[in-house]
């Protein structure tokens, strides 16, 4: 017997989505509209007076060579964070899924880093790689590698990528593990009976079935690298040395709250929002075609 559930009250569905709509309007649509408005203004540091300048903030932004350097930093950072988090998370998920004894314990331990805030993760890795007394920095020095991310831009970028990726690995691990456990074992056993080795089974059977999860994680990790890693950059390098690790979201903060250039900061936030929306649209338009549902 099937029961059909109907809502007698026509306003109940709207009432149920009202909290989420309120959150979206207050914390996304309204701030985005304010940023778009401020991007066309030149304001004093206290916002008491302003002048409408049309697209002057955007023209000044895109005629500044330093801004393109920040874009390159952001691209390298986002690619590094996405690749590291997804690669290590997939490896750990495959290994944890194959464990027979103590599987739940391993899975629980591997998900714990997700509870660490990005800023806290940045401080932890900063202590480990402190050039003076950091454990890992001293270990690298012992094998002949001089580590000093305060002076070396490449080392600083590697450090912030590591700090940003570490807690995110647990997030990706959860999704990959759930996807692996949903794959019918009969398919893997059939491939093994046909003579496929572990590597062939993974790349020909398992990984194609993980493509929906992989696509989802690519999208959310790119958004995470663009928007949610401010705390890591601010606590570890503050964009230094020089501007070697300055990414778009940190430049918005630096120009707006430190330089007090509110118009330029708002224009940068609009550009950042457009870039992320464009990347997401491209991913859904082209990459999703290769996803096997």
């Amino acid at each position: 017997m099937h029961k059909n559930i109907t809502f007698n009250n026509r306003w109940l569905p709207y009432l149920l989505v009202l909290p989420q709509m309120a959150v979206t309007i207050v914390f996304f649509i309204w701030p985005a509209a304010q940023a778009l408005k401020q991007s066309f203004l030149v304001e004093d540091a206290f916002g008491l007076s302003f002048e409408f300048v049309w697209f002057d903030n955007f023209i000044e932004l895109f005629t500044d060579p330093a801004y393109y350097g920040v874009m390159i930093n952001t691209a390298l950072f986002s690619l590094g964070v996405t690749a590291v988090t997804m690669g290590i998370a997939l490896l750990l998920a495959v290994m944890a899924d194959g464990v027979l004894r103590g599987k739940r314990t391993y899975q629980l331990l591997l998900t714990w880093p997700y509870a660490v805030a990005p800023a806290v993760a940045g401080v932890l890795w900063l202590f480990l790689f402190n050039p003076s007394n950091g454990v890992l920095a001293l270990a690298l020095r012992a094998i002949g590698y001089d580590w000093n991310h305060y002076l070396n831009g490449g080392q600083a970028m590697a450090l912030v990528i590591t700090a940003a990726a570490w807690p995110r690995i647990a997030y990706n691990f959860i999704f990959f593990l759930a996807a692996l456990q949903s794959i019918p074992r009969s398919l893997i056993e059939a491939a093994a009976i046909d003579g496929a080795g572990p590597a062939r089974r993974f790349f020909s059977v398992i990984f194609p079935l993980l493509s929906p999860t992989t696509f989802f994680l690519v999208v959310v990790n790119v958004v995470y690298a663009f928007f949610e890693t401010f705390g890591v950059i601010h606590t570890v390098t503050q964009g230094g040395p020089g501007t070697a690790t300055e990414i778009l979201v940190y430049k918005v903060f630096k120009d707006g709250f430190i330089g007090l250039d509110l118009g330029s900061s708002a224009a940068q936030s609009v550009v950042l929002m457009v870039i992320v929306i464009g990347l997401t649209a491209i991913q859904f338009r082209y990459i999703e075609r290769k996803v096997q549902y």
Side-chain angles (χ1 to χ4, degrees):
M1 178 180 293
H2 297 280
K3 294 183 179 180
N4 294 325
I5 300 176
T6 59
F7 293 101
N8 295 325
N9 191 334
R10 59 176 297 186
W11 299 108
L12 182 58
Y14 299 100
L15 184 62
L16 294 176
V17 300
L18 181 61
Q20 182 60 45
M21 291 298 298
V23 170
T24 303
I25 292 173
V26 172
F27 293 102
F28 178 75
I29 296 179
W30 183 72
Q34 289 292 107
L36 183 61
K37 173 186 174 183
Q38 287 187 324
S39 66
F40 296 104
L41 306 176
V42 171
E43 299 182 71
D44 66 89
F46 301 98
L48 300 177
S49 62
F50 62 88
E51 179 183 356
F52 191 77
V53 294
W54 290 97
F55 295 97
D56 286 359
N57 288 323
F58 293 96
I59 293 173
E60 182 181 356
L61 198 62
F62 287 108
T63 54
D64 183 8
Y67 190 66
Y68 293 98
V70 175
M71 284 188 172
I72 295 174
N73 290 342
T74 306
L76 294 175
F77 177 75
S78 61
L79 287 174
V81 170
T82 302
V84 170
T85 55
M86 295 188 64
I88 297 178
L90 180 58
L91 176 63
L92 294 175
V94 171
M95 296 174 65
D97 189 50
V99 174
L100 298 179
R101 299 184 61 181
K103 177 184 293 188
R104 298 297 180 187
T105 302
Y106 285 110
Q107 294 174 2
L108 177 63
L109 292 176
L110 289 172
T111 58
W112 275 2
Y114 185 54
V116 179
V120 177
V123 172
L124 293 175
W125 285 98
L126 181 62
F127 286 155
L128 291 174
F129 280 97
N130 187 287
S132 300
N133 52 17
V135 175
L136 296 181
L138 294 177
L140 290 174
R141 189 174 301 168
I143 61 176
Y145 185 80
D146 186 20
W147 175 274
N148 191 342
H149 64 273
Y150 294 114
L151 301 176
N152 190 303
Q155 294 177 355
M157 179 61 74
L159 178 58
V160 293
I161 288 175
T162 303
W166 174 61
R168 200 67 178 181
I169 291 173
Y171 177 87
N172 291 268
F173 168 79
I174 295 171
F175 282 91
F176 275 130
L177 183 62
L180 285 170
Q181 293 177 344
S182 66
I183 297 176
R185 297 299 173 184
S186 58
L187 296 177
I188 302 175
E189 294 171 356
I193 293 174
D194 290 339
R200 183 66 180 274
R201 291 198 300 270
F202 177 79
F203 289 105
S204 299
V205 179
I206 298 175
F207 191 69
L209 294 175
L210 294 178
S211 57
T213 303
T214 304
F215 172 72
F216 165 77
L217 291 177
V218 167
V219 174
V220 298
N221 280 297
V222 169
V223 174
Y224 163 78
F226 270 82
F227 282 109
E228 301 179 35
T229 51
F230 165 81
V232 173
I233 301 296
H234 190 58
T235 55
V236 178
T237 63
Q238 295 184 352
T243 58
T245 58
E246 189 175 45
I247 62 175
L248 290 173
V249 68
Y250 190 77
K251 184 170 174 59
V252 171
F253 161 80
K254 184 177 178 181
D255 290 353
F257 290 90
I258 298 178
L260 298 178
D261 190 351
L262 303 181
S264 177
S265 177
Q268 292 175 44
S269 66
V270 172
V271 171
L272 178 59
M273 181 174 60
V274 171
I275 290 175
V276 173
I277 292 175
L279 288 175
T280 305
I282 291 172
Q283 290 170 356
F284 275 94
R285 180 67 176 84
Y286 297 102
I287 300 179
E288 193 181 21
R289 291 181 177 181
K290 300 181 180 180
V291 176
Q292 303 178 18
Y293 291 100

